[in-house]
Amino acid sequence: MFDYLIVGAGFAGSVLAERLASQAGKKVLIVDIRNHIGGNAYDHYNEEGILVHKYGPHIFHTNSRPVFEYLSQFTEWRPYEHRVLASVDGQLVPIPINLDTINKLYSLNLTAFEVDQFFASVAEPKEQIRTSEDVVVSKVGRELYEKFFRNYTRKQWGMDPSELDRSVTARVPTRTNRDDRYFTDTYQAMPLHGYTRMFERMLSHPNIKIMLNTDYRDVINLIPYNEMIYTGPIDLFFNYCYGKLPYRSLEFKHETLNKPVHQSAPVVNYPNEHLYTRITEFKYLTGQEHPKTSVVYEYPQAEGDPYYPVPRPENAELYKQYKALADALPNVHFVGRLATYKYYNMDQVVAQALTVFNALQEQEAQAARFAPDRQLVTAESN
Ligand code: FAD
Ligand code: UDP
């Protein structure tokens, strides 16, 4: 008998498996339909011996000390600050847009103060910032919006930024200084031996059994368990009864090139050219030395594995309907990016999973307070 059946061995499922096994003494079965643990953060050495991220570049960054300290139990870190260039008007310039982006793009020599004035002169003030178009146009004006954001977003999401919540492009700030880091979080680092190694250490507890290549729907009636943690797509769990929740997909084209370096930055974005959005060169991320180099191209797709929830009002409404069904199931706990339909980064999923663990502990403590005799009987009969 398992105390918990956990569906999905990504961050959400693995954090909960680890906590439940090591801190609460629970017996856990973690099931994943894929042939590996780690979910979308899975990495592996390819046929040439280069460490690559199977599902696109995963860069760890967080402002949460508890999240960083929690993961630090399972990995050492390699300090890494991510940088991205965008190919615009035949040049490679820093994104997020900063002072150097503007000076390079327009052959200017502005100061931080002057670039601030420049943004103010081109910005289109909006009464209400509602969409992903509003966010950018109200800060840097229409021209820069069109050069950097409009087409990238259309390619990535299959819709215009005016149809997407503001939260999507708000992920990318605008700067008047020369800071060209993609993130400014307090903690920015990559797991020294990769994500998969970190997940192996999280899941190595004797109370955790792992079952790969398994759709939970094929085993759910065969395996005795008390509670379920579900981290797959929420609409799939309910058999799409209200219709499909849109998730955006990607196709990853991996390539290994017979040269030590391919591009001048870890990631180059292509807002306006090509069918792909960006090229990532993994050795920058991992620090690995190798005479060859591996890159991945990301081609956005409407169909395929679900990678991104699509933040827009009608989808939030549909999600709410599914969430009401989820809330009515006290023994199934929905956690993670797909199950709670949130455009979460890895650290946010870890934080959410730790919160769910605390809530489960609290629930159990309460149940024990209200029914001490029942607990005693269960404990004795075990
Ligand atoms: P997942 O990792 O998706 O895990 C869910 C698991 O459930 C999967 O392994 C899946 O196989 C399994 N599953 C689904 N259905 C079933 C079923 N029927 N039966 C059994 N198992 C099932 N975050 C960052 O912080 N930094 C980044 O740089 C970053 N880059 C990203 C780049 C890309 C291209 C993508 C797609 C995401 C990126 N993220 C990044 C986000 C990050 O991947 C997620 O926040 C995190 O992996 C979510 O973890 P999760 O456990 O919620 O979901
Ligand atoms: N974006 C853009 N141009 C860029 C970078 C980002 O238009 O050069 C927009 C796009 O809509 C993208 C969103 O900002 O989906 C968030 O970018 P981020 O790099 O955070 O996306 P992720 O890494 O999650 O795919």
Side-chain angles (χ1 to χ4, degrees):
M1 178 71 154
F2 290 98
D3 297 306
Y4 281 88
L5 172 63
I6 300 188
V7 178
F11 269 100
S14 298
V15 168
L16 274 153
E18 188 284 324
R19 287 289 85 181
L20 288 163
S22 77
Q23 302 301 303
K26 302 294 183 192
K27 290 198 170 16
V28 174
L29 176 66
I30 187 163
V31 176
D32 205 296
I33 197 167
R34 290 171 170 165
N35 63 1
H36 58 73
I37 58 173
N40 286 338
Y42 172 73
D43 56 13
H44 68 110
Y45 286 89
N46 65 14
E47 61 291 343
E48 301 282 355
I50 300 175
L51 184 60
V52 300
H53 298 180
K54 181 166 180 174
Y55 305 100
H58 278 71
I59 292 105
F60 186 80
H61 56 100
T62 190
N63 284 316
S64 166
R65 187 174 167 155
V67 166
F68 189 71
E69 285 182 348
Y70 170 73
L71 292 176
S72 301
Q73 299 175 74
F74 312 104
T75 188
E76 294 160 78
W77 299 96
R78 163 179 190 262
Y80 173 75
E81 292 187 314
H82 192 50
R83 287 181 168 78
V84 180
L85 295 175
S87 166
V88 171
D89 293 347
Q91 300 196 73
L92 293 180
V93 294
I95 175 93
I97 294 173
N98 70 11
L99 177 59
D100 288 327
T101 311
I102 300 303
N103 281 337
K104 199 164 177 196
L105 203 61
Y106 296 118
S107 302
L108 294 170
N109 202 7
L110 303 180
T111 61
F113 178 70
E114 288 164 339
V115 87
D116 200 26
Q117 287 181 322
F118 169 75
F119 287 148
S121 74
V122 290
E124 289 180 18
K126 302 262 168 208
E127 253 180 34
Q128 227 199 344
I129 311 268
R130 212 172 32 82
T131 73
S132 269
E133 176 182 311
D134 298 342
V135 171
V136 183
V137 170
S138 67
K139 263 201 202 134
V140 298
R142 200 153 289 275
E143 183 169 309
L144 289 167
Y145 161 72
E146 283 176 3
K147 286 185 195 294
F148 286 86
F149 286 90
R150 183 159 191 244
N151 295 332
Y152 186 107
T153 303
R154 290 180 136 211
K155 200 161 34 169
Q156 170 74 5
W157 298 94
M159 62 183 77
D160 195 78
S162 60
E163 299 170 275
L164 278 169
D165 274 0
R166 63 180 185 180
S167 57
V168 176
T169 53
R171 291 167 60 89
V172 184
T174 305
R175 305 198 180 114
T176 52
N177 60 19
R178 304 188 61 193
D179 189 349
D180 63 347
R181 295 171 304 160
Y182 206 66
F183 309 110
T184 50
D185 302 51
T186 313
Y187 303 95
Q188 304 190 41
M190 297 290 285
L192 186 61
H193 303 292
Y195 289 97
T196 302
R197 181 77 79 82
M198 180 177 78
F199 280 98
E200 283 166 1
R201 290 183 62 185
M202 290 169 79
L203 297 176
S204 69
H205 195 280
N207 283 0
I208 302 175
K209 300 279 175 279
I210 305 172
M211 201 180 211
L212 298 175
N213 302 301
T214 306
D215 188 327
Y216 81 99
R217 291 170 293 187
D218 294 336
V219 296
I220 191 165
N221 293 320
L222 309 173
I223 290 167
Y225 65 91
N226 279 330
E227 307 240 342
M228 181 191 282
I229 309 273
Y230 181 78
T231 78
I234 187 168
D235 57 343
L236 179 148
F237 186 90
F238 294 107
N239 252 323
Y240 310 104
C241 65
Y242 297 130
K244 276 198 154 190
L245 257 178
Y247 292 91
R248 191 71 175 158
S249 192
L250 292 172
E251 218 171 280
F252 300 101
K253 192 172 138 247
H254 286 266
E255 257 179 20
T256 297
L257 306 163
N258 205 358
K259 53 184 175 184
V261 181
H262 174 63
Q263 59 190 23
S264 55
V267 170
V268 177
N269 286 357
Y270 291 90
N272 307 311
E273 312 123 80
H274 309 299
L275 289 174
Y276 49 84
T277 49
R278 59 187 179 191
I279 305 178
T280 299
E281 185 165 3
F282 288 107
K283 286 188 344 188
Y284 283 104
L285 276 50
T286 58
Q288 188 177 0
E289 290 189 14
H290 196 288
K292 296 186 181 180
T293 193
S294 291
V295 296
V296 67
Y297 299 72
E298 292 171 56
Y299 293 86
Q301 309 283 329
E303 300 296 326
D305 277 1
Y307 292 123
Y308 291 84
V310 184
R312 60 196 305 237
E314 48 266 67
N315 300 348
E317 278 307 306
L318 183 54
Y319 166 67
K320 248 194 217 161
Q321 288 185 272
Y322 281 113
K323 184 171 183 304
L325 294 182
D327 289 344
L329 297 177
N331 294 328
V332 187
H333 310 280
F334 291 76
V335 192
R337 174 148 148 151
L338 304 173
T340 60
Y341 204 67
K342 299 276 182 315
Y343 188 175
Y344 274 167
N345 294 325
M346 297 181 280
D347 63 317
Q348 295 171 297
V349 172
V350 173
Q352 188 191 39
L354 292 174
T355 302
V356 169
F357 172 69
N358 289 336
L360 290 173
Q361 289 286 87
E362 180 52 33
Q363 250 175 41
E364 198 168 295
Q366 261 187 23
R369 278 199 291 276
F370 285 118
D373 299 346
R374 201 174 145 261
Q375 285 292 312
L376 201 65
V377 173
T378 323
E380 278 168 1
S381 59
N382 271 342

mmCIF file of all heavy atoms in Angstrom, residues 120-158:
data_model
loop_
_atom_site.group_PDB
_atom_site.id
_atom_site.type_symbol
_atom_site.label_atom_id
_atom_site.label_comp_id
_atom_site.label_asym_id
_atom_site.label_seq_id
_atom_site.Cartn_x
_atom_site.Cartn_y
_atom_site.Cartn_z
ATOM 1 N N ALA A 120 10.715 57.898 -22.756
ATOM 2 C CA ALA A 120 9.534 58.706 -22.418
ATOM 3 C C ALA A 120 8.967 59.382 -23.667
ATOM 4 O O ALA A 120 7.750 59.522 -23.819
ATOM 5 C CB ALA A 120 9.898 59.748 -21.363
ATOM 6 N N SER A 121 9.853 59.761 -24.592
ATOM 7 C CA SER A 121 9.384 60.473 -25.790
ATOM 8 C C SER A 121 8.690 59.542 -26.788
ATOM 9 O O SER A 121 7.842 59.982 -27.555
ATOM 10 C CB SER A 121 10.550 61.201 -26.472
ATOM 11 O OG SER A 121 11.377 60.257 -27.123
ATOM 12 N N VAL A 122 9.052 58.261 -26.772
ATOM 13 C CA VAL A 122 8.428 57.343 -27.744
ATOM 14 C C VAL A 122 7.305 56.500 -27.122
ATOM 15 O O VAL A 122 6.503 55.895 -27.835
ATOM 16 C CB VAL A 122 9.463 56.400 -28.415
ATOM 17 C CG1 VAL A 122 10.375 57.181 -29.359
ATOM 18 C CG2 VAL A 122 10.269 55.616 -27.389
ATOM 19 N N ALA A 123 7.271 56.424 -25.788
ATOM 20 C CA ALA A 123 6.263 55.591 -25.110
ATOM 21 C C ALA A 123 4.861 56.101 -25.414
ATOM 22 O O ALA A 123 4.649 57.303 -25.558
ATOM 23 C CB ALA A 123 6.502 55.622 -23.604
ATOM 24 N N GLU A 124 3.923 55.157 -25.536
ATOM 25 C CA GLU A 124 2.510 55.530 -25.714
ATOM 26 C C GLU A 124 1.792 55.260 -24.406
ATOM 27 O O GLU A 124 1.520 54.112 -24.080
ATOM 28 C CB GLU A 124 1.867 54.686 -26.822
ATOM 29 C CG GLU A 124 2.357 55.032 -28.205
ATOM 30 C CD GLU A 124 1.690 54.151 -29.275
ATOM 31 O OE1 GLU A 124 0.647 53.531 -28.997
ATOM 32 O OE2 GLU A 124 2.255 54.095 -30.381
ATOM 33 N N PRO A 125 1.486 56.308 -23.643
ATOM 34 C CA PRO A 125 0.859 56.096 -22.337
ATOM 35 C C PRO A 125 -0.483 55.371 -22.483
ATOM 36 O O PRO A 125 -1.223 55.641 -23.425
ATOM 37 C CB PRO A 125 0.654 57.511 -21.801
ATOM 38 C CG PRO A 125 1.420 58.418 -22.703
ATOM 39 C CD PRO A 125 1.617 57.723 -24.000
ATOM 40 N N LYS A 126 -0.760 54.450 -21.590
ATOM 41 C CA LYS A 126 -2.037 53.697 -21.614
ATOM 42 C C LYS A 126 -2.714 53.911 -20.274
ATOM 43 O O LYS A 126 -2.043 53.883 -19.236
ATOM 44 C CB LYS A 126 -1.779 52.191 -21.749
ATOM 45 C CG LYS A 126 -1.011 51.777 -22.958
ATOM 46 C CD LYS A 126 -1.948 51.306 -24.054
ATOM 47 C CE LYS A 126 -1.134 51.196 -25.337
ATOM 48 N NZ LYS A 126 -1.845 51.367 -26.545
ATOM 49 N N GLU A 127 -4.015 54.033 -20.318
ATOM 50 C CA GLU A 127 -4.726 54.188 -19.045
ATOM 51 C C GLU A 127 -4.678 52.904 -18.242
ATOM 52 O O GLU A 127 -4.477 52.903 -17.043
ATOM 53 C CB GLU A 127 -6.176 54.587 -19.307
ATOM 54 C CG GLU A 127 -6.372 56.036 -18.956
ATOM 55 C CD GLU A 127 -7.772 56.514 -19.172
ATOM 56 O OE1 GLU A 127 -8.712 55.720 -18.977
ATOM 57 O OE2 GLU A 127 -7.892 57.685 -19.549
ATOM 58 N N GLN A 128 -4.847 51.819 -18.979
ATOM 59 C CA GLN A 128 -4.854 50.524 -18.307
ATOM 60 C C GLN A 128 -3.901 49.597 -19.037
ATOM 61 O O GLN A 128 -3.988 49.462 -20.265
ATOM 62 C CB GLN A 128 -6.268 49.962 -18.383
ATOM 63 C CG GLN A 128 -6.761 49.431 -17.071
ATOM 64 C CD GLN A 128 -7.925 48.481 -17.272
ATOM 65 O OE1 GLN A 128 -8.547 48.439 -18.332
ATOM 66 N NE2 GLN A 128 -8.208 47.702 -16.263
ATOM 67 N N ILE A 129 -2.986 48.977 -18.300
ATOM 68 C CA ILE A 129 -2.057 48.032 -18.935
ATOM 69 C C ILE A 129 -2.676 46.644 -18.795
ATOM 70 O O ILE A 129 -2.619 46.029 -17.737
ATOM 71 C CB ILE A 129 -0.681 48.057 -18.235
ATOM 72 C CG1 ILE A 129 -0.187 49.490 -18.070
ATOM 73 C CG2 ILE A 129 0.320 47.159 -18.940
ATOM 74 C CD1 ILE A 129 0.645 50.023 -19.142
ATOM 75 N N ARG A 130 -3.275 46.169 -19.859
ATOM 76 C CA ARG A 130 -4.027 44.918 -19.787
ATOM 77 C C ARG A 130 -3.331 43.798 -20.550
ATOM 78 O O ARG A 130 -3.250 42.674 -20.108
ATOM 79 C CB ARG A 130 -5.428 45.176 -20.390
ATOM 80 C CG ARG A 130 -6.555 44.380 -19.815
ATOM 81 C CD ARG A 130 -7.909 44.874 -20.354
ATOM 82 N NE ARG A 130 -7.839 45.394 -21.719
ATOM 83 C CZ ARG A 130 -7.862 44.659 -22.831
ATOM 84 N NH1 ARG A 130 -7.979 43.369 -22.760
ATOM 85 N NH2 ARG A 130 -7.783 45.229 -24.027
ATOM 86 N N THR A 131 -2.800 44.116 -21.721
ATOM 87 C CA THR A 131 -2.272 43.061 -22.588
ATOM 88 C C THR A 131 -0.751 43.117 -22.682
ATOM 89 O O THR A 131 -0.104 44.060 -22.227
ATOM 90 C CB THR A 131 -2.832 43.205 -24.019
ATOM 91 O OG1 THR A 131 -2.198 44.339 -24.628
ATOM 92 C CG2 THR A 131 -4.338 43.405 -24.030
ATOM 93 N N SER A 132 -0.206 42.102 -23.355
ATOM 94 C CA SER A 132 1.237 42.036 -23.557
ATOM 95 C C SER A 132 1.718 43.109 -24.535
ATOM 96 O O SER A 132 2.899 43.454 -24.541
ATOM 97 C CB SER A 132 1.626 40.643 -24.071
ATOM 98 O OG SER A 132 1.934 39.811 -22.982
ATOM 99 N N GLU A 133 0.810 43.624 -25.351
ATOM 100 C CA GLU A 133 1.175 44.768 -26.204
ATOM 101 C C GLU A 133 1.271 46.027 -25.344
ATOM 102 O O GLU A 133 2.255 46.769 -25.419
ATOM 103 C CB GLU A 133 0.129 44.974 -27.308
ATOM 104 C CG GLU A 133 0.421 46.216 -28.147
ATOM 105 C CD GLU A 133 -0.631 46.477 -29.217
ATOM 106 O OE1 GLU A 133 -0.974 45.545 -29.961
ATOM 107 O OE2 GLU A 133 -1.110 47.626 -29.301
ATOM 108 N N ASP A 134 0.264 46.250 -24.496
ATOM 109 C CA ASP A 134 0.245 47.455 -23.646
ATOM 110 C C ASP A 134 1.538 47.600 -22.838
ATOM 111 O O ASP A 134 2.095 48.694 -22.721
ATOM 112 C CB ASP A 134 -0.928 47.401 -22.649
ATOM 113 C CG ASP A 134 -2.286 47.378 -23.344
ATOM 114 O OD1 ASP A 134 -2.355 47.744 -24.530
ATOM 115 O OD2 ASP A 134 -3.278 46.985 -22.688
ATOM 116 N N VAL A 135 1.994 46.478 -22.261
ATOM 117 C CA VAL A 135 3.177 46.513 -21.380
ATOM 118 C C VAL A 135 4.362 47.140 -22.102
ATOM 119 O O VAL A 135 5.047 48.022 -21.574
ATOM 120 C CB VAL A 135 3.581 45.075 -20.956
ATOM 121 C CG1 VAL A 135 4.921 45.068 -20.232
ATOM 122 C CG2 VAL A 135 2.510 44.468 -20.093
ATOM 123 N N VAL A 136 4.584 46.695 -23.328
ATOM 124 C CA VAL A 136 5.795 47.110 -24.037
ATOM 125 C C VAL A 136 5.610 48.493 -24.658
ATOM 126 O O VAL A 136 6.472 49.382 -24.497
ATOM 127 C CB VAL A 136 6.175 46.072 -25.123
ATOM 128 C CG1 VAL A 136 7.479 46.472 -25.808
ATOM 129 C CG2 VAL A 136 6.305 44.679 -24.513
ATOM 130 N N VAL A 137 4.484 48.673 -25.341
ATOM 131 C CA VAL A 137 4.259 49.941 -26.046
ATOM 132 C C VAL A 137 4.220 51.119 -25.066
ATOM 133 O O VAL A 137 4.703 52.210 -25.356
ATOM 134 C CB VAL A 137 2.951 49.852 -26.884
ATOM 135 C CG1 VAL A 137 2.566 51.209 -27.431
ATOM 136 C CG2 VAL A 137 3.138 48.857 -28.022
ATOM 137 N N SER A 138 3.702 50.858 -23.865
ATOM 138 C CA SER A 138 3.617 51.952 -22.890
ATOM 139 C C SER A 138 4.978 52.284 -22.279
ATOM 140 O O SER A 138 5.132 53.310 -21.627
ATOM 141 C CB SER A 138 2.630 51.592 -21.782
ATOM 142 O OG SER A 138 3.153 50.523 -21.027
ATOM 143 N N LYS A 139 5.951 51.420 -22.507
ATOM 144 C CA LYS A 139 7.289 51.698 -21.952
ATOM 145 C C LYS A 139 8.274 52.180 -23.000
ATOM 146 O O LYS A 139 9.012 53.139 -22.775
ATOM 147 C CB LYS A 139 7.849 50.412 -21.332
ATOM 148 C CG LYS A 139 7.635 50.337 -19.850
ATOM 149 C CD LYS A 139 8.610 49.378 -19.220
ATOM 150 C CE LYS A 139 8.095 48.891 -17.886
ATOM 151 N NZ LYS A 139 8.244 47.451 -17.734
ATOM 152 N N VAL A 140 8.295 51.500 -24.160
ATOM 153 C CA VAL A 140 9.354 51.800 -25.145
ATOM 154 C C VAL A 140 8.792 52.194 -26.513
ATOM 155 O O VAL A 140 9.574 52.340 -27.470
ATOM 156 C CB VAL A 140 10.330 50.612 -25.305
ATOM 157 C CG1 VAL A 140 11.035 50.309 -23.996
ATOM 158 C CG2 VAL A 140 9.620 49.371 -25.840
ATOM 159 N N GLY A 141 7.490 52.325 -26.622
ATOM 160 C CA GLY A 141 6.903 52.785 -27.882
ATOM 161 C C GLY A 141 6.723 51.685 -28.906
ATOM 162 O O GLY A 141 7.150 50.547 -28.725
ATOM 163 N N ARG A 142 6.078 52.041 -30.002
ATOM 164 C CA ARG A 142 5.663 51.064 -30.990
ATOM 165 C C ARG A 142 6.813 50.507 -31.822
ATOM 166 O O ARG A 142 6.861 49.328 -32.152
ATOM 167 C CB ARG A 142 4.592 51.690 -31.900
ATOM 168 C CG ARG A 142 3.739 50.697 -32.639
ATOM 169 C CD ARG A 142 2.369 51.234 -32.964
ATOM 170 N NE ARG A 142 1.514 51.363 -31.798
ATOM 171 C CZ ARG A 142 0.782 50.370 -31.293
ATOM 172 N NH1 ARG A 142 0.806 49.170 -31.830
ATOM 173 N NH2 ARG A 142 0.015 50.566 -30.235
ATOM 174 N N GLU A 143 7.777 51.369 -32.150
ATOM 175 C CA GLU A 143 8.855 50.902 -33.035
ATOM 176 C C GLU A 143 9.666 49.778 -32.383
ATOM 177 O O GLU A 143 9.887 48.720 -32.987
ATOM 178 C CB GLU A 143 9.766 52.067 -33.424
ATOM 179 C CG GLU A 143 10.859 51.640 -34.391
ATOM 180 C CD GLU A 143 11.605 52.812 -34.985
ATOM 181 O OE1 GLU A 143 10.960 53.745 -35.515
ATOM 182 O OE2 GLU A 143 12.853 52.806 -34.918
ATOM 183 N N LEU A 144 10.084 49.985 -31.138
ATOM 184 C CA LEU A 144 10.869 48.945 -30.462
ATOM 185 C C LEU A 144 10.005 47.720 -30.189
ATOM 186 O O LEU A 144 10.468 46.581 -30.275
ATOM 187 C CB LEU A 144 11.471 49.489 -29.164
ATOM 188 C CG LEU A 144 12.607 50.501 -29.373
ATOM 189 C CD1 LEU A 144 12.934 51.231 -28.074
ATOM 190 C CD2 LEU A 144 13.859 49.819 -29.923
ATOM 191 N N TYR A 145 8.742 47.965 -29.885
ATOM 192 C CA TYR A 145 7.792 46.862 -29.698
ATOM 193 C C TYR A 145 7.759 45.984 -30.950
ATOM 194 O O TYR A 145 7.831 44.757 -30.893
ATOM 195 C CB TYR A 145 6.416 47.445 -29.389
ATOM 196 C CG TYR A 145 5.257 46.507 -29.602
ATOM 197 C CD1 TYR A 145 5.040 45.441 -28.734
ATOM 198 C CD2 TYR A 145 4.364 46.688 -30.667
ATOM 199 C CE1 TYR A 145 3.961 44.584 -28.915
ATOM 200 C CE2 TYR A 145 3.289 45.837 -30.855
ATOM 201 C CZ TYR A 145 3.093 44.781 -29.979
ATOM 202 O OH TYR A 145 2.036 43.928 -30.167
ATOM 203 N N GLU A 146 7.700 46.637 -32.097
ATOM 204 C CA GLU A 146 7.612 45.862 -33.342
ATOM 205 C C GLU A 146 8.931 45.166 -33.665
ATOM 206 O O GLU A 146 8.944 44.059 -34.171
ATOM 207 C CB GLU A 146 7.137 46.760 -34.489
ATOM 208 C CG GLU A 146 5.630 46.963 -34.346
ATOM 209 C CD GLU A 146 4.998 47.898 -35.350
ATOM 210 O OE1 GLU A 146 5.711 48.388 -36.250
ATOM 211 O OE2 GLU A 146 3.777 48.145 -35.217
ATOM 212 N N LYS A 147 10.019 45.781 -33.356
ATOM 213 C CA LYS A 147 11.317 45.152 -33.653
ATOM 214 C C LYS A 147 11.606 43.951 -32.754
ATOM 215 O O LYS A 147 12.180 42.966 -33.186
ATOM 216 C CB LYS A 147 12.455 46.162 -33.461
ATOM 217 C CG LYS A 147 12.575 47.221 -34.553
ATOM 218 C CD LYS A 147 13.810 48.078 -34.289
ATOM 219 C CE LYS A 147 13.813 49.368 -35.084
ATOM 220 N NZ LYS A 147 13.914 49.199 -36.529
ATOM 221 N N PHE A 148 11.239 44.057 -31.468
ATOM 222 C CA PHE A 148 11.676 43.038 -30.512
ATOM 223 C C PHE A 148 10.571 42.092 -30.056
ATOM 224 O O PHE A 148 10.836 40.948 -29.698
ATOM 225 C CB PHE A 148 12.275 43.702 -29.254
ATOM 226 C CG PHE A 148 13.636 44.291 -29.486
ATOM 227 C CD1 PHE A 148 13.768 45.580 -29.978
ATOM 228 C CD2 PHE A 148 14.776 43.547 -29.223
ATOM 229 C CE1 PHE A 148 15.026 46.125 -30.193
ATOM 230 C CE2 PHE A 148 16.033 44.091 -29.433
ATOM 231 C CZ PHE A 148 16.161 45.387 -29.927
ATOM 232 N N PHE A 149 9.336 42.564 -29.973
ATOM 233 C CA PHE A 149 8.311 41.781 -29.267
ATOM 234 C C PHE A 149 7.180 41.246 -30.139
ATOM 235 O O PHE A 149 6.692 40.146 -29.922
ATOM 236 C CB PHE A 149 7.701 42.612 -28.127
ATOM 237 C CG PHE A 149 8.629 42.746 -26.948
ATOM 238 C CD1 PHE A 149 9.529 43.794 -26.861
ATOM 239 C CD2 PHE A 149 8.629 41.791 -25.936
ATOM 240 C CE1 PHE A 149 10.405 43.903 -25.786
ATOM 241 C CE2 PHE A 149 9.497 41.889 -24.850
ATOM 242 C CZ PHE A 149 10.384 42.952 -24.785
ATOM 243 N N ARG A 150 6.736 42.053 -31.098
ATOM 244 C CA ARG A 150 5.501 41.689 -31.783
ATOM 245 C C ARG A 150 5.628 40.344 -32.500
ATOM 246 O O ARG A 150 4.847 39.417 -32.273
ATOM 247 C CB ARG A 150 5.113 42.784 -32.758
ATOM 248 C CG ARG A 150 3.806 42.482 -33.445
ATOM 249 C CD ARG A 150 3.148 43.710 -34.020
ATOM 250 N NE ARG A 150 1.800 43.379 -34.409
ATOM 251 C CZ ARG A 150 1.374 43.426 -35.663
ATOM 252 N NH1 ARG A 150 2.182 43.810 -36.641
ATOM 253 N NH2 ARG A 150 0.135 43.101 -35.937
ATOM 254 N N ASN A 151 6.655 40.245 -33.334
ATOM 255 C CA ASN A 151 6.759 39.030 -34.150
ATOM 256 C C ASN A 151 7.223 37.820 -33.342
ATOM 257 O O ASN A 151 6.805 36.697 -33.593
ATOM 258 C CB ASN A 151 7.694 39.274 -35.332
ATOM 259 C CG ASN A 151 7.099 40.314 -36.258
ATOM 260 O OD1 ASN A 151 5.872 40.451 -36.329
ATOM 261 N ND2 ASN A 151 7.950 41.064 -36.954
ATOM 262 N N TYR A 152 8.102 38.057 -32.379
ATOM 263 C CA TYR A 152 8.545 36.937 -31.524
ATOM 264 C C TYR A 152 7.325 36.336 -30.826
ATOM 265 O O TYR A 152 7.144 35.116 -30.780
ATOM 266 C CB TYR A 152 9.558 37.438 -30.489
ATOM 267 C CG TYR A 152 10.197 36.349 -29.638
ATOM 268 C CD1 TYR A 152 11.522 35.972 -29.836
ATOM 269 C CD2 TYR A 152 9.484 35.699 -28.620
ATOM 270 C CE1 TYR A 152 12.120 34.992 -29.052
ATOM 271 C CE2 TYR A 152 10.058 34.719 -27.835
ATOM 272 C CZ TYR A 152 11.377 34.372 -28.053
ATOM 273 O OH TYR A 152 11.955 33.394 -27.273
ATOM 274 N N THR A 153 6.488 37.215 -30.298
ATOM 275 C CA THR A 153 5.320 36.744 -29.554
ATOM 276 C C THR A 153 4.328 36.029 -30.464
ATOM 277 O O THR A 153 3.781 34.978 -30.117
ATOM 278 C CB THR A 153 4.642 37.933 -28.836
ATOM 279 O OG1 THR A 153 5.618 38.543 -27.991
ATOM 280 C CG2 THR A 153 3.446 37.501 -28.017
ATOM 281 N N ARG A 154 4.149 36.576 -31.657
ATOM 282 C CA ARG A 154 3.225 35.918 -32.607
ATOM 283 C C ARG A 154 3.734 34.520 -32.943
ATOM 284 O O ARG A 154 2.963 33.569 -33.042
ATOM 285 C CB ARG A 154 3.123 36.744 -33.885
ATOM 286 C CG ARG A 154 2.392 38.037 -33.651
ATOM 287 C CD ARG A 154 2.297 38.838 -34.921
ATOM 288 N NE ARG A 154 0.949 39.352 -35.021
ATOM 289 C CZ ARG A 154 0.292 39.587 -36.138
ATOM 290 N NH1 ARG A 154 0.865 39.373 -37.299
ATOM 291 N NH2 ARG A 154 -0.930 40.041 -36.114
ATOM 292 N N LYS A 155 5.056 34.417 -33.101
ATOM 293 C CA LYS A 155 5.651 33.116 -33.427
ATOM 294 C C LYS A 155 5.514 32.169 -32.231
ATOM 295 O O LYS A 155 5.070 31.037 -32.365
ATOM 296 C CB LYS A 155 7.130 33.365 -33.754
ATOM 297 C CG LYS A 155 7.791 32.301 -34.537
ATOM 298 C CD LYS A 155 9.078 32.708 -35.255
ATOM 299 C CE LYS A 155 9.981 33.716 -34.636
ATOM 300 N NZ LYS A 155 11.292 33.811 -35.313
ATOM 301 N N GLN A 156 5.867 32.662 -31.062
ATOM 302 C CA GLN A 156 5.898 31.805 -29.871
ATOM 303 C C GLN A 156 4.503 31.334 -29.463
ATOM 304 O O GLN A 156 4.311 30.207 -29.053
ATOM 305 C CB GLN A 156 6.560 32.569 -28.711
ATOM 306 C CG GLN A 156 6.454 31.907 -27.338
ATOM 307 C CD GLN A 156 7.365 30.711 -27.174
ATOM 308 O OE1 GLN A 156 8.177 30.392 -28.049
ATOM 309 N NE2 GLN A 156 7.240 30.009 -26.061
ATOM 310 N N TRP A 157 3.537 32.230 -29.555
ATOM 311 C CA TRP A 157 2.210 31.926 -28.991
ATOM 312 C C TRP A 157 1.127 31.713 -30.045
ATOM 313 O O TRP A 157 0.001 31.321 -29.710
ATOM 314 C CB TRP A 157 1.771 33.066 -28.048
ATOM 315 C CG TRP A 157 2.700 33.215 -26.885
ATOM 316 C CD1 TRP A 157 3.775 34.061 -26.803
ATOM 317 C CD2 TRP A 157 2.686 32.471 -25.659
ATOM 318 N NE1 TRP A 157 4.415 33.896 -25.599
ATOM 319 C CE2 TRP A 157 3.761 32.928 -24.874
ATOM 320 C CE3 TRP A 157 1.849 31.466 -25.145
ATOM 321 C CZ2 TRP A 157 4.049 32.418 -23.608
ATOM 322 C CZ3 TRP A 157 2.129 30.951 -23.878
ATOM 323 C CH2 TRP A 157 3.218 31.428 -23.127
ATOM 324 N N GLY A 158 1.449 32.010 -31.323
ATOM 325 C CA GLY A 158 0.444 31.861 -32.374
ATOM 326 C C GLY A 158 -0.658 32.892 -32.237
ATOM 327 O O GLY A 158 -1.754 32.708 -32.774
#
